[in-house]
Amino acid sequence: MASSRLVALTGAGISTDSGIPDFRGPQGLWTKDPKAEKLSNIHYYVSDPEVRRLAWKGRLEHPAWRATPNAAHRALVEGERRGQLHALVTQNIDGLHQRAGSSPERVIEVHGTVHDAVCLQCDWRGPMQAVLDRVRAGEEDPPCTRCGGILKSATISFGQPLVPEVIARAMQAAEDADVIVAIGTSLQVYPVAGMVPAARDAGARIIIVNAEPTPFDGIADAVVAIPIGAALPAICGVESV
Ligand SMILES: [Zn+2]
């Protein structure tokens, strides 16, 4: 595709081929067991030490540590290499776009990243693996070494506000786009889903690549339901289907 301003918006569906489960999908952990969602709710996390202990246990085994990027991640890297990719907005927290080779400055992580830890009290931020080393060494709920506050992954939990500057960058990217490709996202979580109509209003073409229908299929120029790993290389011009 001959586009110099391609903006990609990626969701859980792009990472399922890499072994990262879609927690919200029809077969997702949260869909099948709503109680599991507690671990990702900031109010329970802050008020209940047991929830934090369980959350840290879960982080030790997070699939992101072992996951490797798939063909769809690599296609977006190739799109960037060809000078087509303007921005890559992702709802994923797994860091697989950067691991595939996408430039960190082009990746806009609207729900944060599991690869960093943050202090909820003093704004300390650092590598997650260093904190997980403390958990492995026996600290079940490691406090911030600077202020003693509660540590958490640098992700946006339920009940936590999005980061306004990050959302502003995402919406600006949508308005700058010639083409917006939404990949593996149900486009039901706002404000990010609003990128699609915002891009359309600014004159962009819309391509939706998702296994399930989305609310914006009706305004899309193309809706692609074939597996994402096969569709993306074609859309990014890496190869033809
Ligand atoms: Zn702190």
Side-chain angles (χ1 to χ4, degrees):
M1 181 171 296
S3 168
S4 57
R5 283 187 176 272
L6 186 143
V7 171
L9 167 60
T10 67
I14 198 173
S15 288
T16 47
D17 278 356
S18 293
I20 309 274
D22 177 2
F23 289 109
R24 298 177 207 246
Q27 299 302 315
L29 180 63
W30 293 343
T31 314
K32 287 180 167 174
D33 179 10
K35 278 179 291 190
E37 193 175 328
K38 250 189 169 184
L39 295 181
S40 292
N41 183 303
I42 191 67
H43 303 296
Y44 291 114
Y45 190 86
V46 168
S47 62
D48 188 345
E50 182 61 20
V51 167
R52 293 199 293 278
R53 284 193 286 271
L54 287 170
W56 283 111
K57 264 189 184 167
R59 286 175 193 133
L60 284 177
E61 303 302 326
H62 198 287
W65 313 142
R66 286 183 302 277
T68 53
N70 62 56
H73 296 104
R74 289 192 295 273
L76 291 169
V77 176
E78 181 63 15
E80 179 181 344
R81 196 187 64 76
R82 292 172 176 225
Q84 296 174 335
L85 189 78
H86 177 59
L88 204 180
V89 180
T90 185
Q91 297 169 295
N92 299 336
I93 58 170
D94 53 41
L96 286 178
H97 288 302
Q98 294 93 325
R99 188 166 291 178
S102 288
S103 302
E105 62 270 21
R106 282 192 199 271
V107 180
I108 302 170
E109 296 174 307
V110 291
H111 292 160
T113 175
V114 76
H115 292 278
D116 282 349
V118 290
C119 174
L120 298 179
Q121 195 160 307
C122 78
D123 293 337
W124 173 87
R125 184 179 179 117
M128 172 60 81
Q129 290 303 330
V131 183
L132 290 182
D133 285 343
R134 293 171 58 193
V135 179
R136 286 185 197 100
E139 289 184 74
E140 291 186 311
D141 178 21
C144 174
T145 52
R146 187 196 280 170
C147 79
I150 293 172
L151 295 183
K152 185 186 152 308
S153 64
T155 55
I156 308 290
S157 294
F158 286 100
Q160 264 190 309
L162 297 162
V163 180
E165 296 78 15
V166 175
I167 299 303
R169 278 184 72 203
M171 296 310 289
Q172 184 61 53
E175 290 175 18
D176 292 344
D178 293 329
V179 178
I180 186 165
V181 189
I183 306 150
T185 165
S186 58
L187 294 175
Q188 288 173 0
V189 179
Y190 281 83
V192 173
M195 286 177 63
V196 172
R200 193 265 321 261
D201 291 348
R205 285 185 294 151
I206 295 168
I207 300 173
I208 293 175
V209 185
N210 198 46
E212 312 285 334
T214 81
F216 296 107
D217 290 0
I219 64 165
D221 296 274
V223 177
V224 183
I226 62 174
I228 291 167
L232 254 282
I235 289 167
C236 291
V238 178
E239 61 190 44
S240 55
V241 271

